[in-house]
Amino acid sequence: MGKISDPPTGDTPFWESKSLDALSRDEWEALCDGCGKCCLVKLEDEDDGTIHYTDVGCALLDIAACRCSDYTNRAERMPDCVILTPENIGEVKHWMPQSCAYRLIAEGKPLPAWHHLVCGDRQMVHRRGKSVIGIAAIESEVPEAELPAHIIDIDD
Ligand code: SF4
Ligand code: SF4
């Protein structure tokens, strides 16, 4: 992540003082807590539209580091990867975990205490068990038919 280019307004941190579409690129990138939950394979219930997360990571997810192994080129490498933007967050946030910082801000909610912008520690998300670091498998190792057996609750 780059440094935050714009100082917060007064004592109010930027994520509380600015709307998502007013954030600088660095501020936008800094909002990501690094949980990796959005990089898990998701299944949508055909009957009621419910989104189910699995413990299976995208083929580009570096499971040990809990980050995309080719973030810069992710759109080209993985066409299914949804690139979050201020313009599409309202439309796709229901696909994001409830803890996702972008979803929280879009819904007018505060960042959690374990978020690195709040606590100053990027590893806290992992220590608090809020990330998918070390999850079970990557997409290429799990046949599609077995994905339902990998459904997990990521918002506990
Ligand atoms: S779910 Fe949200 S906060 Fe977590 S890695 Fe994805 S974009 Fe970042
Ligand atoms: S391409 Fe990268 S950012 Fe996109 S879902 Fe896969 S691991 Fe995550």
Side-chain angles (χ1 to χ4, degrees), residues 36-42 57-62 67-75 77-83 139:
K37 291 177 178 175
C38 59
C39 302
L40 297 177
V41 174
K42 305 166 218 28
C58 165
L60 278 188
L61 180 63
D62 179 335
R67 64 173 53 187
C68 183
S69 59
D70 195 2
Y71 188 73
T72 302
N73 301 306
R74 64 197 189 286
R77 297 276 309 276
M78 199 60 64
D80 286 347
C81 178
V82 176
I83 311 292
E139 205 171 1

Side-chain angles (χ1 to χ4, degrees), residues 1-13:
M1 293 295 172
K3 70 180 178 63
I4 309 306
S5 56
D6 296 331
T9 305
D11 292 331
T12 307

Side-chain angles (χ1 to χ4, degrees), residues 31-39 84 96-97 99-102:
L31 255 193
C32 179
D33 62 27
C35 72
K37 291 177 178 175
C38 59
C39 302
L84 278 186
M96 307 302 285
S99 63
C100 173
Y102 299 97

Side-chain angles (χ1 to χ4, degrees), residues 21-127:
D21 59 5
L23 299 183
S24 69
R25 183 178 175 82
D26 285 346
E27 289 169 338
W28 176 267
E29 292 295 322
L31 255 193
C32 179
D33 62 27
C35 72
K37 291 177 178 175
C38 59
C39 302
L40 297 177
V41 174
K42 305 166 218 28
L43 301 176
E44 183 172 14
D45 189 308
E46 290 180 357
D47 295 328
D48 62 11
T50 302
I51 307 299
H52 298 285
Y53 278 73
T54 70
D55 63 1
V56 178
C58 165
L60 278 188
L61 180 63
D62 179 335
I63 292 171
C66 196
R67 64 173 53 187
C68 183
S69 59
D70 195 2
Y71 188 73
T72 302
N73 301 306
R74 64 197 189 286
E76 293 74 32
R77 297 276 309 276
M78 199 60 64
D80 286 347
C81 178
V82 176
I83 311 292
L84 278 186
T85 67
E87 290 72 36
N88 71 11
I89 183 63
E91 187 183 335
V92 304
K93 63 182 169 64
H94 72 287
W95 280 89
M96 307 302 285
Q98 291 177 26
S99 63
C100 173
Y102 299 97
R103 178 171 180 169
L104 289 172
I105 299 299
E107 294 178 342
K109 298 174 181 172
L111 295 182
W114 49 261
H115 193 287
H116 66 94
L117 289 174
V118 178
C119 72
D121 182 352
R122 278 202 167 273
Q123 298 307 309
M124 190 66 79
V125 63
H126 307 309
R127 287 204 294 275

